[in-house]
Amino acid sequence: MRHSSLVVVANRLPIDDSIAPDGACEWRRTPGGLVSALHPLLRHTPATWVGWAGGTGPAPTLPDVDGVHMRAVPLTAEDLRDHYEGFANSTLWPLYHDAVEQPEHHRRWWEAYQRVNRRFAEAAAEVAEPGAVVWVQDYHLHLLPGLLRAMRPDLRIGFFLHVPFPPPELFMQLPRRAELLRGMLGADLIGFQRVQAAHNFAQLVAKVLSLPATDRRIGVDGRVVRIGAFPVSIDTAEMAALAARPDVAARAQRLRQDLGRPERVILSVDRMDYTKGIEQRLKAYSELLASGHVKVRDTVLVQVAVPSRERVGQYQILRERVEREVGRINGEFGRVGEPAIHYLTQPFDRAELAALYRVADVMAVTPLRDGMNLVAKEYVAARVDDTGALLLSEFAGTAAELSQAYLVNPHDLEGLKEGLLAALHAAPADVSRRMRAMRAHLHEHDIRAWARSYLSALDETGPLVRRLVSGTDAASITVPGQPDRSATRVEHPSGG
Ligand code: ADP
Ligand code: F6P
């Protein structure tokens, strides 16, 4: 068995088993923010990634991917239903996203959540070498840090939450709230996307567990657990280089032709999720078409919505509603050979996504609530000529960083329509000024800066950071929102 000094534990592995047209099994990168963030970062690093390979039954033995060892954890059909689709995605996911859909509570789901967290913890304990860093990701695995600490007190354990952490009044609804908080406190460092999330967590720990807590430090069992905000990012340079490739530029030109050479292309790229505000966006677009403010002749909307969590009822209902609405809008406003909306549900490779970003004059990213939203960052990175308007929801984590976007409240239909029109008709100089500022921000705050700030705070002695982020001088590592300081002496990781 291979042992590693860095172990990443996430519900999903960065590959998925899917059936090719000829019936063979093929492996590919899965759509989703977590994999998009971590995969480029860990590539060519001697690390082990512990996660689920996407099916049920015995865990497959997988080849290394770009030098990263893949350790699959098996899920039974019951685990899939009660842990992944149940507790993770029908209890925690809606609750953490402002309860925009009703969270469900079932005791059977909680049992599965405990069982699966234990199985992942055992797998991580097996592959971690003595004193290793184990970096646990996301809401599927809240209990894992506590379980792992009990099994392997020698480890340095980090936990990072990719989704929002809700305000106390929502979290308090959870029947097993104390156990979830305790589980997370097994970590040495707990990272959130936003300062507000760290604040919510500290308040809850003080209230539910009566532990001494500030927005930066929590005392538990004679240990100090540090908390802070570390906004996740993308491989900015990689996306920019991809978008600048001649074949991608040519593909973008061809796409514009295929779209009928409209004056304006609006693009949205989402997982099919009720948090993404797809229905609100379609309603706004439909009203603009009805009022004549937008004309099919000169403007098209390309909506990419890749299906997600397809067996969960709320996701099935959403897909039906979105597809019915797209059909209605196209029927009512489209013309022969000129649909109002180009609707695509396929997963695309990175080059095709980059070409789509390049062809989009306006990118509409309008979630009702989103931990970060890397799609918005990818669009900015791909606009290598500083053109393109980003229409961005105030409720996406990205909005805290990309404040030069055209910001909208997606719950306010009139505001959403006005924002879309403003982005469509903005003066080129204004668009460029905003895009330049956002691009400059992302060049500095890319995925490596994120990993450096998090891992240098977790692994205070620093060697891991140097190894992970090649070509980096660990002495110059900084923590977001903090004055520059050495990686070896980060006292307060919080951005707040
Ligand atoms: P989430 O984590 O909720 O899925 P993000 O916007 O943070 O949302 O991340 C989505 C990631 O999935 C991005 O990296 C994006 O490029 C990728 N993605 C979204 N749609 C597709 C698609 N149709 N094909 C391939 N990748 C996709
Ligand atoms: O960002 C939240 C998240 O659950 C990630 O963990 C994951 O990358 C993405 O959404 C996709 O979700 P799933 O793994 O359920 O397909």
Side-chain angles (χ1 to χ4, degrees):
M1 161 146 355
R2 169 108 62 94
H3 291 95
S4 296
S5 59
L6 174 63
V7 178
V8 166
V9 195
N11 180 60
R12 254 188 210 287
L13 290 170
I15 48 181
D16 201 355
D17 58 342
S18 52
I19 306 301
D22 63 359
C25 195
E26 65 181 23
W27 298 97
R28 64 184 161 87
R29 182 164 151 176
T30 48
L34 186 152
V35 170
S36 291
L38 289 174
H39 185 242
L41 187 70
L42 294 176
R43 222 167 16 193
H44 311 304
T45 301
T48 294
W49 187 317
V50 175
W52 169 54
T56 53
T61 305
L62 303 172
D64 291 3
V65 176
D66 291 340
V68 181
H69 183 55
M70 298 287 143
R71 168 66 192 265
V73 178
L75 289 192
T76 64
E78 201 182 15
D79 298 332
L80 178 67
R81 186 190 65 207
D82 294 346
H83 170 262
Y84 172 72
E85 295 170 344
F87 199 84
N89 285 315
S90 300
T91 303
L92 296 182
W93 180 269
L95 190 80
Y96 283 14
H97 290 84
D98 292 350
V100 292
E101 286 287 345
Q102 185 63 38
E104 284 183 50
H105 303 283
H106 298 290
R107 282 165 289 186
R108 198 180 66 237
W109 290 359
W110 170 246
E111 281 160 25
Y113 192 74
Q114 294 176 91
R115 177 171 77 236
V116 171
N117 268 254
R118 179 164 292 282
R119 198 175 308 143
F120 273 73
E122 282 162 356
E126 250 174 52
V127 297
E129 68 179 39
V133 166
V134 178
W135 195 5
V136 183
Q137 313 287 325
D138 234 355
Y139 60 98
H140 315 83
L141 301 173
H142 277 323
L143 304 179
L144 200 150
L147 293 166
L148 189 58
R149 179 166 296 281
M151 293 172 197
R152 291 283 305 270
D154 60 301
L155 300 175
R156 194 100 187 117
I157 304 172
F159 180 85
F160 185 80
L161 187 68
H162 290 255
V163 300
F165 191 75
E169 55 276 22
L170 277 180
F171 191 86
M172 290 299 283
Q173 291 178 12
L174 278 172
R176 311 313 288 252
R177 58 203 182 192
E179 286 95 325
L180 289 176
L181 295 173
R182 277 231 159 247
M184 290 166 81
L185 288 172
D188 296 293
L189 174 67
I190 303 176
F192 298 93
Q193 301 278 27
R194 299 185 72 160
V195 173
Q196 182 62 45
H199 178 68
N200 292 345
F201 183 75
Q203 275 193 314
L204 276 159
V205 163
K207 189 180 166 86
V208 176
L209 303 178
S210 304
L211 291 172
T214 71
D215 289 4
R216 292 177 174 181
R217 286 159 178 266
I218 294 166
V220 57
D221 304 334
R223 293 184 301 121
V224 173
V225 177
R226 292 174 308 147
I227 63 177
F230 302 85
V232 72
S233 195
I234 59 164
D235 191 335
T236 312
E238 185 185 66
M239 177 51 83
L242 186 59
R245 255 172 37 187
D247 60 315
V248 172
R251 174 69 188 141
Q253 266 183 4
R254 242 191 347 271
L255 278 170
R256 188 171 279 275
Q257 248 174 34
D258 293 348
L259 290 169
R261 295 182 193 281
E263 276 170 36
R264 288 271 177 273
V265 176
I266 307 169
L267 173 69
S268 287
V269 177
D270 305 288
R271 268 187 313 103
M272 179 70 83
D273 197 299
Y274 50 79
T275 60
K276 303 289 182 183
I278 302 172
E279 290 185 279
Q280 287 76 0
R281 198 184 304 140
L282 290 178
K283 189 161 172 53
Y285 195 61
S286 159
E287 289 195 8
L288 287 173
L289 287 167
S291 64
H293 284 92
V294 168
K295 295 196 170 47
V296 170
R297 199 174 48 242
D298 42 46
T299 305
V300 296
L301 170 62
V302 179
Q303 171 69 65
V304 178
V306 66
S308 181
R309 306 170 191 167
E310 291 178 77
R311 300 194 326 173
V312 177
Q314 288 159 333
Y315 287 75
Q316 289 168 353
I317 292 169
L318 173 74
R319 183 169 182 180
E320 279 166 26
R321 287 166 57 148
V322 164
E323 297 193 342
R324 197 176 321 132
E325 189 59 4
V326 169
R328 184 193 69 77
I329 294 172
N330 277 338
E332 205 164 313
F333 301 103
R335 291 143 45 130
V336 174
E338 282 183 358
I341 302 174
H342 292 255
Y343 173 69
L344 304 161
T345 57
Q346 306 130 48
F348 294 114
D349 64 27
R350 306 299 292 167
E352 185 70 3
L353 275 177
L356 281 165
Y357 294 143
R358 275 203 70 154
V359 85
D361 304 291
V362 174
M363 176 88 195
V365 182
T366 56
L368 304 177
R369 174 65 71 190
D370 210 319
M372 178 51 60
N373 202 298
L374 295 181
V375 165
K377 292 189 172 182
E378 288 171 358
Y379 175 67
V380 170
R383 303 304 299 189
V384 285
D385 57 0
D386 290 339
T387 61
L390 175 64
L391 182 76
L392 183 60
S393 164
E394 293 166 14
F395 299 99
T398 341
E401 292 178 84
L402 302 183
S403 54
Q404 296 86 0
Y406 295 85
L407 292 174
V408 287
N409 170 3
H411 300 275
D412 169 12
L413 194 60
E414 286 307 317
L416 189 51
K417 286 158 64 180
E418 282 163 23
L420 190 52
L421 287 178
L424 278 170
H425 300 304
D430 184 48
V431 167
S432 287
R433 183 184 53 77
R434 289 168 184 253
M435 186 52 79
R436 256 197 311 279
M438 292 190 287
R439 289 177 58 74
H441 176 85
L442 285 191
H443 272 287
E444 204 180 320
H445 297 94
D446 68 355
I447 190 65
R448 284 181 189 79
W450 173 72
R452 279 202 296 277
S453 66
Y454 185 89
L455 289 174
S456 59
L458 174 63
D459 179 41
E460 288 170 299
T461 50
L464 179 70
V465 182
R466 261 192 297 270
R467 213 171 332 142
L468 187 66
V469 188
S470 53
T472 299
D473 172 9
S476 68
I477 287 164
T478 60
V479 171
Q482 298 289 319
D484 285 12
R485 62 181 82 193
S486 152
T488 56
R489 286 263 40 93
V490 174
E491 296 293 339
H492 303 293
S494 168

